[in-house]
Amino acid sequence: AQSVTQLDSHVSVSEGTPVLLRCNYSSSYSPSLFWYVQHPNKGLQLLLKYTSAATLVKGINGFEAEFKKSETSFHLTKPSAHMSDAAEYFCVVSDSNGNEKLTFGTGTRLTIIP
Amino acid sequence: NAGVTQTPKFQVLKTGQSMTLQCAQDMNHEYMSWYRQDPGMGLRLIHYSVGAGITDQGEVPNGYNVSRSTTEDFPLRLLSAAPSQTSVYFCASSYKLAGGSGELFFGEGSRLTVL
C-alpha cells in the first residue's frame, strides 16, 4: 500500500523568499516520487521526479526536492519565490512493483505576497 | 503539438442524464487514465488503460465506464449522472508507467456540474 501526506494545505511566502512545501510518503516498495504543479484552470505539469537515482532532484523553474528515506520525506524547495510560482502543488507516490497507479496528495496551495 | 485534448471543457447535466467525456492524445502513449479532482481531496483515479483493449478500475470507478478501442482515444462515460459526480475531470497519458517512472501528461480538464 502507498500513501502520501502533504503537511500544509496552504503556504504563503513573500516574493524573493524561500519556498518549502512538505511531503511525507508511505510505500511498501522502493517508491518513485513526483511533484506536479497546477496553475489556475489548467492541467497538472510535472515539476520533478525521483526514481532511485540521485536523492537530490532538480526540476523546472528552479525547484528541487530531496528524497530522505529515513524520514520518509520528499519536500519541495525553491531558494527565491517568484509571483509566477503561485499555484497548487501535488506530491505523488508510486510503488516500484509494476503498479500502474499513482497516489496523489491533497495538494498545497502556494500564495506569493508581493 | 496538441498533447492531451479533452472535450468538452464545461458541461451541465441533470440528474439521470448520461454523457461522454472525450480524451485524445497524439503522443502514441500506451497508458491513459481518468482522474477526478475535488476540493481538499487531490486527484483520485477513476479508470485506467495500459493499451488498446485493456482497461482496469481505479480508486473510484462506480458510475463510470471506459473503453479503449484505439491507442489515441479513451472516453469516459457517465451512465446516469448524480450530483456526487460534480467535479473536474482530468485525462492523463504516459508512454510507460510501470515502475512509476513515467511522466503523466494531463489535459486541461473538463468541469462537470450535475444538478
Side-chain angles (χ1 to χ4, degrees):
Chain A
Q2 59 194 35
S3 65
V4 62
T5 302
Q6 292 184 243
L7 300 170
D8 306 292
S9 59
H10 191 197
V11 170
S12 294
V13 302
S14 297
E15 189 176 16
T17 64
V19 175
L20 170 64
L21 305 183
R22 298 181 296 166
C23 172
N24 286 351
Y25 71 90
S26 172
S27 175
S28 302
Y29 302 88
S30 298
S32 292
L33 293 157
F34 309 79
W35 277 98
Y36 282 82
V37 60
Q38 183 182 29
H39 288 94
N41 300 314
K42 296 291 185 183
L44 281 72
Q45 179 187 13
L46 181 69
L47 268 182
L48 50 80
K49 65 179 179 182
Y50 166 78
T51 55
S52 75
T55 56
L56 182 62
V57 182
K58 294 188 183 299
I60 60 172
N61 300 333
F63 285 93
E64 62 182 37
E66 186 171 7
F67 173 71
K68 292 187 176 181
K69 186 175 180 179
S70 61
E71 299 176 10
T72 61
S73 69
F74 191 58
H75 301 334
L76 182 70
T77 60
K78 183 174 181 178
S80 176
H82 191 273
M83 294 301 295
S84 61
D85 294 329
E88 186 137 22
Y89 292 80
F90 292 93
C91 183
V92 183
V93 64
S94 175
D95 286 335
S96 63
N97 63 340
N99 186 348
E100 301 291 354
K101 302 175 186 177
L102 303 180
T103 300
F104 283 75
T106 53
T108 299
R109 181 165 300 277
L110 177 64
T111 299
I112 310 298
I113 303 167
Chain B
N1 189 7
V4 179
T5 303
Q6 290 182 234
T7 56
K9 292 190 183 304
F10 301 94
Q11 183 72 49
V12 179
L13 290 178
K14 294 181 179 179
T15 297
Q17 288 184 318
S18 62
M19 77 158 298
T20 299
L21 298 177
Q22 301 290 347
C23 176
Q25 53 90 8
D26 61 359
M27 297 172 283
N28 201 31
H29 284 170
E30 296 177 4
Y31 179 90
M32 296 187 73
S33 55
W34 278 101
Y35 290 86
R36 59 178 289 173
Q37 182 178 28
D38 301 293
M41 302 189 74
L43 273 73
R44 293 181 291 168
L45 182 65
I46 304 171
H47 285 286
Y48 67 99
S49 169
V50 298
I54 305 169
T55 63
D56 204 351
Q57 296 181 350
E59 181 184 357
V60 288
N62 293 340
Y64 307 95
N65 267 0
V66 292
S67 60
R68 184 93 179 269
S69 56
T70 67
T71 299
E72 295 78 19
D73 300 300
F74 191 46
L76 178 71
R77 298 181 184 86
L78 280 70
L79 308 172
S80 177
S84 61
Q85 293 179 304
T86 294
S87 187
V88 181
Y89 292 85
F90 287 97
C91 179
S93 72
S94 176
Y95 172 68
K96 178 182 178 182
L97 201 62
S101 59
E103 172 184 354
L104 278 175
F105 292 82
F106 283 83
E108 295 205 336
S110 298
R111 186 175 295 274
L112 175 65
T113 301
V114 182
L115 304 175

